[in-house]
Amino acid sequence: MQPVRGSDRQASGRLAVLGIAALWIGSVVQAAPAQSCLFNDAHFHLTNYVQQGTALPKYVGDIMGDKVCRSTVFGIPLQQTWSYENSGEFAPTYYLQSDAPLYYYSFTDAYIANAYLKLAPESRQRLDPMITGFNPADMYGVDHIRRVLETYPGVFSGIGEFTIHKEFVSSKVAGDIASLTDPALDRILDFAGEVGLAVIIHSDMDMPFAKAGAEPVFLKQMKDLLRRHPKTTIIWAHIGLGRVVHPVQGQAATGTTERNPAYREVVEGMLRDPTLSHVYFDISWDEVAKYAVASPESIRNTVELFNRYPDRFLFGTDNVAPPDQATQLRVYHLWDPIWEQLTPEAALKIRISNFERIFDKARADVRAWERANLK
Ligand SMILES: [Zn+2]
């Protein structure tokens, strides 16, 4: 699918931005009036940690509505066990609400595919479903992904969000703990590259509550992993930040208990590195937005970074089963202080056109692989 639109350089103001969105909308998707279309959502969970969520027709019709042009869609692969021994009659719906383990709930992919296939074609055009129900610490994990493509051809554009290191979550997962150095993960990323599946990976850059003055623990492992898969399009979710893994401003961050390589330098180093040119960052999660707009300095830093590397960031909400459109738009508006200061070109790319470029290509590549490899 090739959206009709001018080059991003032509965007010289908000009206131009909207005009481009209007052209694209007019050519591909009839459903959303372009004037009000704010963004494409590169990171969206339809269901929560107990596989409950928003009905997909409601998501497209009422929640995306005329404000979100396109969206990824995935569940959460990890199911929180309701252990009566642990929480009794209290039914946990979030990983922080119980000590009981999480386990991989692979049926999530069938659930997402079935919901997608029931939609009208014009609604499907607006969605990029993602495969998540595999265990990245299992050498057989890749076989699940292939099996999902075989069972539901014509549906999926990528894999993820799946998680390697995440505060409090990693240690709750039943079975082996996932690792950036696990060959099972290399098999998955190799296969994603072969098929053309876009990848959204969550892995905190550092340990929670790490001490100041040292390299983030998982950063080198992550860069090594990314470099081993140059043919795979990989989106590092939340720019490697986590709930308790904060960005810090180098030596200026006195009194912090965090490690302090200047976070912006870490990210900029990766953006400049030609061996990492296949890597993108999503800026989803309200926790990330809070860091970015925390102070005039953080806003300035973020604006400079985005304006310098506008092709490498994608906006996403990281909402989980939102009940209404207001909830869906709240994360977007947390970024308003930054949207207002970006160049129109950078804002357009991060909100809309990087998503189009990456996911249009993923869709086309995966469909081509399916035609060539599935009978
Ligand atoms: Zn997420």
Side-chain angles (χ1 to χ4, degrees), residues 231-260:
K231 295 199 176 73
T232 310
T233 296
I234 302 175
I235 300 166
W236 192 358
H238 326 306
I239 333 179
L241 298 174
R243 181 184 303 286
V244 286
V245 180
H246 300 196
V248 289
Q249 306 301 323
Q251 303 304 324
T254 48
T256 179
T257 57
E258 304 292 318
R259 289 171 206 271
N260 62 354

Side-chain angles (χ1 to χ4, degrees), residues 43 45 74 161 202 238 284 318:
H43 193 125
H45 300 273
F74 37 94
E161 177 196 32
H202 178 130
H238 326 306
S284 68
D318 199 18

